[in-house]
Amino acid sequence: MRVKRFIFSVRGAPVLALAACVAVLASPAAFCSEQAKSKGRVRGHYVRIVGSSYVGTGDGGVGELRAIQRRCVEDKKFMKRPHVASPTLAWPKARTSVQWETYYTRTRTMTISSAERYVVRHSDCDLAVQTIHELLLESGAGRCTVDLTEKTATGHCDVDAHRRATSPVRVDIDQRHIPKGAEKTILGINCIPYIGRLRTVCVGTPRSDFRIPNGPFSRLAPGLLLEERGAYMNADAVAVELDREFHDDLFTIPQGLKHRPFPPVNRPESGAVGQ
């Protein structure tokens, strides 16, 4: 079966969901060469989610951003300093936007995420964009977080250990004490809302040949993370593909990163979603 590529773009830095030749790396050649050695295949599920923050403002925080830019212009005029009266970039629909893709398999998950935040540049009052690109590899061996912008790896980042892991990404919590909402359907998949103090996540449980691991940001229930509603961010699944075949090399990380230790992922957790 031919593996399908999913591509999403962040201003100036496209990110391939197949994780090959990550464009934000200064020297991706070694990473691409290393990945080319792997010929293995794994089966699993794919979910792509997009969202934005500043949801409580009703305008994605753009009104506040405009106000900051106006105050900057007024200050520059008063001090007779160089500035731009109107931004050279178009005003965004939301001050901060996020998107991530997660690949779920029997024992591992890989999440490729990006965030884009608009800010006012104090030097000239123009708009600027700050971007973050990350990878999150999880299995029974632990969790590895890679900041592709800062070129750092945090946690348990032995790719071979993740490949050898026999236990899935799972945190065992007594779900009887977690408030739940009415079951609903998202992109043809039934999902159960889990209600927390700061956010609600909807976890899908489609028919699967394996027990679906916990999602990257949903520790309280195994399944596909399909929706998030909260005080700080709203996010929705825009694509789901079940029972797909992936390259095993998707579950690797770039070489040459600065490594920092991190506690293991499979430790007891408690509390509601959003803690």
Side-chain angles (χ1 to χ4, degrees):
M1 182 182 296
R2 183 178 179 84
V3 177
K4 187 175 181 179
R5 282 182 177 231
F6 301 89
I7 302 176
F8 60 84
S9 295
V10 179
R11 184 177 302 277
V15 178
L16 296 180
L18 196 54
C21 304
V22 180
V24 296
L25 296 176
S27 302
F31 180 39
C32 300
S33 175
E34 187 67 25
Q35 286 195 329
K37 298 177 184 177
S38 175
K39 302 298 182 182
R41 305 272 181 154
V42 293
R43 298 197 72 85
H45 312 307
Y46 162 86
V47 178
R48 180 177 179 229
I49 288 181
V50 299
S52 61
S53 60
Y54 292 90
V55 296
T57 64
D59 62 357
V62 176
E64 180 183 359
L65 189 67
R66 287 179 179 271
I68 294 172
Q69 200 270 342
R70 284 196 301 269
R71 289 196 296 270
C72 180
V73 170
E74 291 170 358
D75 290 343
K76 296 297 184 185
K77 284 182 177 179
F78 179 78
M79 294 183 291
K80 298 183 179 180
R81 299 274 182 85
H83 64 279
V84 295
S86 299
T88 56
L89 297 177
W91 289 102
K93 294 182 179 179
R95 188 173 177 180
T96 301
S97 59
V98 297
Q99 52 186 325
W100 64 86
E101 299 173 306
T102 300
Y103 296 81
Y104 298 79
T105 69
R106 186 181 303 274
T107 60
R108 292 172 291 174
T109 64
M110 170 63 88
T111 300
I112 304 169
S113 62
S114 67
E116 185 178 75
R117 183 172 185 264
Y118 282 78
V119 297
V120 175
R121 197 162 55 204
H122 181 70
S123 60
D124 60 2
C125 303
D126 204 355
L127 286 183
V129 182
Q130 298 174 339
T131 57
I132 298 173
H133 310 277
E134 291 185 340
L135 304 178
L136 176 61
L137 174 62
E138 295 185 282
S139 74
R143 177 194 300 183
C144 176
T145 302
V146 175
D147 187 324
L148 294 172
T149 306
E150 298 295 331
K151 301 180 179 61
T152 59
T154 303
H156 301 273
C157 297
D158 184 337
V159 173
D160 288 333
H162 284 279
R163 184 178 294 113
R164 294 191 302 267
T166 58
S167 60
V169 182
R170 184 172 61 212
V171 179
D172 294 316
I173 293 177
D174 189 348
Q175 298 179 13
R176 291 175 299 177
H177 303 296
I178 304 172
K180 299 179 180 68
E183 185 173 322
K184 59 183 178 179
T185 302
I186 296 178
L187 297 178
I189 297 175
N190 291 337
C191 73
I192 301 173
Y194 290 84
I195 303 169
R197 293 186 301 176
L198 297 178
R199 65 185 181 128
T200 296
V201 296
C202 202
V203 178
T205 55
R207 182 176 179 180
S208 176
D209 291 336
F210 58 91
R211 184 179 188 270
I212 301 175
N214 291 74
F217 312 113
S218 176
R219 298 289 169 223
L220 300 185
L224 308 179
L225 179 60
L226 299 178
E227 181 185 82
E228 177 176 331
R229 291 289 181 271
Y232 305 108
M233 184 176 68
N234 286 347
D236 301 273
V238 296
V240 175
E241 296 217 3
L242 303 177
D243 194 25
R244 296 290 302 182
E245 189 176 65
F246 310 129
H247 284 289
D248 187 69
D249 58 20
L250 188 148
F251 299 88
T252 190
I253 63 173
Q255 300 296 313
L257 301 172
K258 182 179 179 181
H259 184 264
R260 296 178 296 184
F262 195 73
V265 65
N266 283 351
R267 61 188 188 280
E269 296 190 12
S270 62
V273 179
Q275 287 191 324

